[in-house]
Amino acid sequence: MPRNRVLAADTGLPAETLLEIYDCLILALDATDGNQPKRWQMPEARSYLRSALRDTRRLLGEVSA
């Protein structure tokens, strides 16, 4: 059965949430910047990634509903 593609522009996803996800991913990358990230930087990066994942799941749930 063919799947119908849904474009982000068609769904009306809120730009604010997309920018928040982007910001969280950038902050996670900044927290782990360098060849050898410090041990204390990893919880911070994980926190940002969890936040981005939570927002992404919420958005996907809204699109599929």
Side-chain angles (χ1 to χ4, degrees):
M1 174 177 246
R3 294 174 65 177
N4 294 334
R5 287 188 163 194
V6 177
L7 301 175
D10 295 339
T11 61
L13 293 175
E16 295 170 344
T17 307
L18 294 174
L19 290 175
E20 287 174 14
I21 292 170
Y22 172 80
D23 288 342
C24 285
L25 294 174
I26 293 299
L27 289 170
L29 286 173
D30 285 345
T32 58
D33 192 23
N35 293 335
Q36 294 283 329
K38 305 292 186 250
R39 184 178 188 94
W40 58 269
Q41 293 171 311
M42 299 314 290
E44 180 182 1
R46 281 193 297 269
S47 173
Y48 289 128
L49 288 174
R50 279 193 300 269
S51 179
L53 183 59
R54 185 175 48 249
D55 288 344
T56 302
R57 285 180 176 159
R58 190 178 74 238
L59 276 179
L60 291 176
E62 291 174 6
V63 170
S64 63

